[in-house]
Amino acid sequence: VDWVGDRPVIIDQTLLPHELRMISLETVDEVIDAIQRLAVRGAPALGVAGALGVALACRLGGDEADVRAGAARIRAARPTAVNLAWAVDRVLARLPDGPDAAVAEAVGLLEADAAINRALSERGADWIQARVAGPMAVQTHCNAGALACVEWGTALGVVRSLHLRRGVREVFADETRPLLQGARLTAYELGEMGVPYRIVVDGAGASMVTRRLVDVVIVGADRIAANGDVANKIGTLPLALAAARVGVPFVVAAPESTIDPATPSGDAIRIEERDGAEVLGASAPAGARAYNPAFDVTPADLVTAIVTQDRIIEPARGDRPA
Ligand code: MRU
């Protein structure tokens, strides 16, 4: 995600890994469309894209009411990742100081992302290496890499930091049905990093943990409730259940902006339901219907550690993030 010529510029992630195409978003509607079709996705990237979308609305020259109306639509484009609403609100809070102040706030969020991710990744790598002998096998789910942020990544940022310390033997990337963020995006990033990896079907993940084929599970998060419950891509919960069963650390890597003090527990997190066509594809019989929740909630007692740029929280031991 970038800000070039007063426009948000994103990689169209729907085309990866086969094509690396940048697109410039020219209107608020284009920003919303890019968010909803997952051309830009992943909680931190959604936050920055949303913030830059509000900056774009400022630059398109409408009055304050127009900017606020556009911002409200961007904020509602996807419901689960709190970073989107958080970042839009941060930019809106500067609007009374004028459009330049709002644009500067959005660009500030863009520029801060890399350092935040590096900090949480180093902290996470330290915490894991103090507990897990390397070189280790890591299981991850969905894509929480540089593509899901601006740079470096969160869960995959921890993997990147561990890899630079020669601490990773192999990563197992769940393919992440139905949109294959793992098979397409995580595999692409691991290949670029030079980390050995294999893609596994989502249904393999939990039993790989209980068979102790992996030493640690590392995932990102879309929203972390005040009590430590964690919303992340659908299919995360089975990994946490399996990890708790056999005592494998289940680590969540996320910036502080993913912690939502206003959400007391996971029960209050709105889970996005997406179009059933994503699940049915071409293989289901005509007339088949689908249920397509995009996220699940892992209860705090299954979360060994939440790693942010500022701290380590251990919900399974009773720590609360907020
Ligand atoms: O639907 P997506 O692809 O936006 O879902 C993304 C995830 O669930 C990620 O794991 C999460 O946002 C963390 S990204 C650093």
Side-chain angles (χ1 to χ4, degrees):
V1 186
D2 207 349
W3 178 249
V4 181
D6 278 351
R7 297 288 183 268
V9 172
I10 60 161
I11 295 171
D12 185 343
Q13 296 190 39
T14 66
L15 302 175
L16 286 170
H18 304 298
E19 186 185 346
L20 182 61
R21 187 192 300 170
M22 316 290 290
I23 50 175
S24 176
L25 304 174
E26 302 293 325
T27 64
V28 167
D29 283 343
E30 285 185 18
V31 172
I32 292 167
D33 179 64
I35 289 172
Q36 290 183 332
R37 67 185 182 87
L38 273 53
V40 58
R41 49 143 299 281
L46 285 171
V48 173
L52 296 180
V54 182
L56 171 66
C58 292
R59 285 293 180 249
L60 291 176
D63 60 19
E64 186 174 330
D66 290 336
V67 173
R68 288 192 182 276
R73 290 196 299 123
I74 293 170
R75 197 178 187 281
R78 292 189 76 192
T80 305
V82 70
N83 307 62
L84 177 58
W86 173 86
V88 166
D89 290 347
R90 282 273 300 251
V91 179
L92 284 178
R94 298 300 310 276
L95 258 191
D97 301 324
D100 288 348
V103 172
E105 181 72 17
V107 173
L109 291 177
L110 168 78
E111 289 172 347
D113 179 86
I116 290 170
N117 296 330
R118 278 174 191 258
L120 72 85
S121 296
E122 289 296 303
R123 190 185 299 280
D126 290 345
W127 189 91
I128 291 168
Q129 283 191 313
R131 288 159 181 81
V132 179
M136 62 192 82
V138 178
Q139 181 114 21
T140 192
H141 189 73
C142 196
N143 171 265
L147 288 165
C149 307
V150 176
E151 266 184 61
W152 200 261
T154 57
L156 226 48
V158 176
V159 169
R160 192 187 295 270
S161 293
L162 287 169
H163 172 62
L164 292 173
R165 303 176 187 188
R166 302 188 190 287
V168 179
R169 186 173 80 246
E170 181 171 22
V171 174
F172 292 100
D174 292 354
E175 61 181 353
T176 317
R177 285 271 300 153
L179 296 178
L180 303 178
Q181 288 93 330
R184 295 187 301 110
L185 308 175
T186 297
Y188 174 81
E189 289 199 46
L190 290 168
E192 294 281 305
M193 284 185 230
V195 176
Y197 71 87
R198 282 183 270 178
I199 297 166
V200 296
V201 297
D202 295 341
S207 68
M208 290 182 58
V209 175
T210 56
R211 289 169 67 202
R212 297 180 183 279
L213 297 177
V214 299
D215 302 298
V216 58
V217 178
I218 314 176
V219 297
D222 289 87
R223 187 181 298 240
I224 299 171
N227 72 340
D229 292 349
V230 174
N232 191 49
K233 179 54 59 189
I234 190 79
T236 301
L237 172 61
L239 299 179
L241 287 163
R245 168 99 183 177
V246 294
V248 165
F250 179 86
V251 178
V252 175
E256 287 282 333
S257 53
T258 303
I259 296 171
D260 181 11
T263 296
S265 74
D267 293 344
I269 298 176
R270 188 168 146 216
I271 301 295
E272 178 183 8
E273 279 179 38
R274 294 185 60 84
D275 193 335
E278 291 178 352
V279 173
L280 300 172
S283 43
R289 297 186 306 140
Y291 171 53
N292 187 16
F295 301 96
D296 60 25
V297 175
T298 297
D301 62 286
L302 300 180
V303 179
T304 318
I306 296 169
V307 181
T308 78
Q309 70 271 34
D310 293 339
R311 54 191 170 138
I312 302 271
I313 305 143
E314 299 189 22
R317 290 175 167 231
D319 286 359
R320 290 173 59 93

